[in-house]
Amino acid sequence: MRLKQTLIIIGLLFSTSIAWAQTSPNVWRDLSEVTYKIGEDDFGELYIPVFSPKIKGLEGKVVEADGYIIPFEGMFKPEHIILSSLPLAECFFCGSGGPETVMEVMMKDPIKYTSKRVKVRGKLTLNDKDPEKLMYILIDAVLLN
């Protein structure tokens, strides 16, 4: 009987986390609530993200994000993509978007490049330490469409 109860509880927890990810508000809107402080490293001045309590509450949670794959010339890796909430012409690297409009996505399975909007689901990690990485990283991500 205990095994059955345990399995039911595990099932409920799993389905709740999936439902939360599917019904969560626009994650990009929440991620835009970041501010910055100015710091320094060996190369000079840099902007260090300061995450709002709402953003910190998302860390380690499964979230869904939709956007466009940024095709860095010669750097596209099917299992490690850069996702932008904005179309290519407006993205952080190519246009007017800020650093809060992009995230690194570590895919569970490799995906093919497309210029169409994609949706992924994965666990959100926040980065305010490593300036070589983006501040938002989605790990164990899966393609939803």
Side-chain angles (χ1 to χ4, degrees):
M1 191 65 167
R2 284 188 185 261
L3 177 61
K4 185 177 179 181
Q5 290 171 334
T6 303
L7 290 174
I8 290 171
I9 290 170
I10 289 171
L12 287 172
L13 289 173
F14 179 75
S15 64
T16 301
S17 70
I18 296 297
W20 182 87
Q22 291 174 340
T23 60
S24 65
N26 184 335
V27 74
W28 291 113
R29 187 177 359 175
D30 292 342
L31 297 180
S32 71
E33 293 183 14
V34 65
T35 58
Y36 304 91
K37 63 182 180 184
I38 297 176
E40 262 189 57
D41 66 4
D42 295 340
F43 302 104
E45 201 173 82
L46 68 138
Y47 288 89
I48 300 167
V50 178
F51 302 115
S52 71
K54 185 183 278 187
I55 295 172
K56 286 181 181 178
L58 291 172
E59 185 165 29
K61 299 272 193 317
V62 174
V63 298
E64 291 180 2
D66 62 338
Y68 301 89
I69 298 171
I70 304 301
F72 287 106
E73 190 173 327
M75 293 178 63
F76 175 76
K77 295 179 182 170
E79 67 284 343
H80 180 190
I81 64 170
I82 304 296
L83 189 70
S84 172
S85 65
L86 302 170
L88 187 60
E90 299 173 34
C91 88
F92 172 61
F93 299 102
C94 312
S96 59
E100 70 281 354
T101 64
V102 291
M103 67 173 58
E104 286 184 64
V105 181
M106 310 300 189
M107 302 297 299
K108 278 187 178 181
D109 298 309
I111 64 170
K112 291 183 179 178
Y113 173 76
T114 179
S115 60
K116 296 180 180 165
R117 188 181 266 305
V118 298
K119 185 181 248 188
V120 295
R121 177 189 299 137
K123 189 187 307 183
L124 182 67
T125 302
L126 304 178
N127 171 38
D128 60 358
K129 304 278 187 266
D130 185 353
E132 299 295 315
K133 295 203 162 277
L134 296 178
M135 65 181 155
Y136 300 126
I137 303 169
L138 213 56
I139 60 172
D140 295 327
V142 294
L143 183 64
L144 298 178
N145 65 345

